[in-house]
Amino acid sequence: MNALRVRSAVSPLRRPFLAQPVVLPLVDDVVATNRPEEPMHCLRPATITATAREFVTAFPGVTMYAVKCNPEPAVLRALRAGGVSHFDCASINEVTLVRQMFPDAAIHFMHPVKARGAIREAWARHGVRDFVVDSAEELAKLGQEIAATAIDGDLGVIVRLALPKGGARLDLSGKFGAASDDAATLLRDARPHAARLGVSFHVGSQCLDPLAWRRALAVAGQVIHAAGVPVEIVDVGGGFPVAYPDVEPPPLGAFLAEIESGFEALGLPAAQLWAEPGRALVAGGASVVVQVQRRRGDALYVNDGVYGSLADAGTLGFRYPARLIPSDDRRESAAKHGFSLFGPTCDSADAMHGPFILPADVTDGDWIEIGQLGAYGGCFRTAFNGFDRARIVEVRDLPLQHARPAEPVPMAA
Ligand SMILES: *Cc1c(COP(=O)(O)O)cnc(C)c1O
């Protein structure tokens, strides 16, 4: 007997899809009815669909969603309804999930270091045709694993470029990407095997500087020029920022303007632009309702934390919008106060400094809805210390904070 057990985090399809009521409930009503003692994820499908449609319409190329950001089926369905038909997957479980849900979706395997079995299964069983590489070893792996299953001449190879450290809140430059010289060699070596050849990069997540894309595109141009082979795809990655209580990013148009002009400067009129947004499409699309279990001065002990959906509030010190849902029918105090939160586990690192701005009279039993957690929230949950349960509900509320400022309204003539 094989004693190995495999536990999967991306396994929502083992749960049946529940038929949704035509009119979704409001968060306050769900809390009043259920008085949840476990964290409750409140998904806003209408917000996600509208945000996706806005990005897909504005981006001058192919928009693929980075599934890792939030793989909930309800989220994926809302994105699909917003016009997203391409998905950036990084694991075979993500590939399997997207393929099960959307038989006609285009799936791209965008992790530069893949298991051999994942490459074979993605290619042969799920029809994945585009793969990212950032090393000669990974390119050789593609050749070996895909050739073994009868290559049909439709392989797309995207070479991930390393970028210098930039201004993003989450720098990704150290882990993935080929240096410029190696990238040019990779493009040349891949060309004879690839029906589509491309370059990609990631400027880092929550990147507030539109010029980061301009600079990255210039690096891409140098590499393509040095390679001296035709390239069909220029993939500008993810990293598009959203608003948080202390951050107000430039409008999406400012980023797209730099991307368009940077792309034009490459002089590749036949090439296609791709983007891989994650955070920008879904951050505003979910909140988490937590319950206060104890108040100690300015600190609130709540039932979710850094081992749950508040990882970035702890480790990275991200701030999130919050609002109180009182547990009784008192009128909440008008005075506002900054609170820090402690998560439920026994680890002292399970703390979120915030501050979370709430009415001053928060007390145990109250709920707090924390917004902008649609991206990198629920997907980070662990089972540490036994706190592995959370509820999920779809609601019709607007986001607690707009994920992105509205585009400037042109003055009437
Ligand atoms: C995580 C990731 C993304 C999405 O990044 P965001 O900052 O959420 O937009 C896109 N592409 C790749 C390769 C990633 O790893």
Side-chain angles (χ1 to χ4, degrees), residues 36-57:
E37 295 196 337
E38 291 153 348
M40 186 171 79
H41 295 253
C42 304
L43 309 181
R44 291 155 162 78
T47 298
I48 296 170
T49 297
T51 310
R53 185 157 312 282
E54 187 194 345
F55 195 101
V56 168
T57 306

Side-chain angles (χ1 to χ4, degrees), residues 63-67 69-70 75-76 79 84 86-88 277-278 281-282:
T63 301
M64 58 171 114
Y65 170 63
V67 174
C69 196
N70 190 330
V75 169
L76 300 178
L79 289 163
V84 174
H86 291 253
F87 294 86
D88 158 2
L281 298 190
V282 298

Side-chain angles (χ1 to χ4, degrees), residues 329-349:
D329 46 20
R330 74 178 192 276
R331 183 180 310 186
E332 64 193 50
S333 92
K336 299 282 185 193
H337 194 80
F339 290 91
S340 62
L341 305 182
F342 283 120
T345 73
C346 301
D347 182 354
S348 58

